[in-house]
Amino acid sequence: MERLRRVLPAPRPGAPAARTALTPEAAEASPAQAAEAMRRLPGFVWLDGGPDGHRLFARPLVTMQVRGRRARISSPGRPSDAFPARGFDLLEAALRAWGDTGESRAFLVGYLGYELGGDLEKLPRPPADDLRLPDLYLALYDRALCWDGLSWSLEHTAAWREEDAVAEAEKTL
């Protein structure tokens, strides 16, 4: 946990969190238009929930990956750290390091690969790794643009950044 907090400190205690409706002008964008406007931002992710819900993420606070029991933690503007770790141990440490946000909203988005199952049980040898993807990849976000089928809102926390997340989101759309 200490290594993780060197890359990203613990959330500020009592930091406010909110779900804020965006202005009508910003709310006119369709999910596809919003995704197009954001797709070049670092760490862009679109969780497509069908016609009743989408979540768009960009600019993660930190990214974590594990490949072959070797972890790499990165955060913009800070040196990255690499060390031996099992995927589920890293996930547990991340939840301890950054999960205690009280009322705030933070999001871990990514995937757990099939190979991570080898940490839990004996699995057959996987096929050749032609894609060279991590066994675990997760990014921590402090804001999410949410589409409910009718309008956009922003779920956000000031647990790490103090900039105006709503104004930034409306400017992006």
Side-chain angles (χ1 to χ4, degrees), residues 97-133:
W98 306 311
D100 186 18
T101 57
E103 295 295 316
S104 66
R105 293 183 171 100
F107 308 90
L108 268 178
V109 180
Y111 68 86
L112 308 176
Y114 171 82
E115 291 77 8
L116 209 55
D119 287 356
L120 302 174
E121 64 181 319
K122 180 96 170 125
L123 294 175
R125 186 177 182 92
D129 183 8
D130 57 341
L131 297 177
R132 313 234 357 113
L133 296 172

Side-chain angles (χ1 to χ4, degrees), residues 26-39 44-57 145-153 172-173:
E28 291 176 4
S30 71
Q33 290 167 326
E36 179 61 28
M38 294 177 65
R39 73 183 177 95
F44 172 70
V45 175
W46 179 1
L47 297 181
D48 182 350
D52 294 328
H54 301 267
R55 287 180 181 247
L56 302 175
F57 302 89
L145 269 172
C146 304
W147 172 256
D148 64 7
L150 299 173
S151 63
W152 288 102
S153 61
T172 301
L173 293 178

Side-chain angles (χ1 to χ4, degrees), residues 17-88:
R19 183 175 188 123
T20 307
L22 300 186
T23 62
E25 297 80 30
E28 291 176 4
S30 71
Q33 290 167 326
E36 179 61 28
M38 294 177 65
R39 73 183 177 95
R40 288 188 177 85
L41 295 175
F44 172 70
V45 175
W46 179 1
L47 297 181
D48 182 350
D52 294 328
H54 301 267
R55 287 180 181 247
L56 302 175
F57 302 89
R59 295 180 56 221
L61 298 166
V62 68
T63 59
M64 302 176 289
Q65 31 187 317
V66 174
R67 188 167 194 284
R69 295 193 177 186
R70 186 98 185 130
R72 176 167 300 283
I73 311 300
S74 303
S75 182
R78 296 179 187 249
S80 63
D81 194 6
F83 50 91
R86 293 167 34 129
F88 289 110

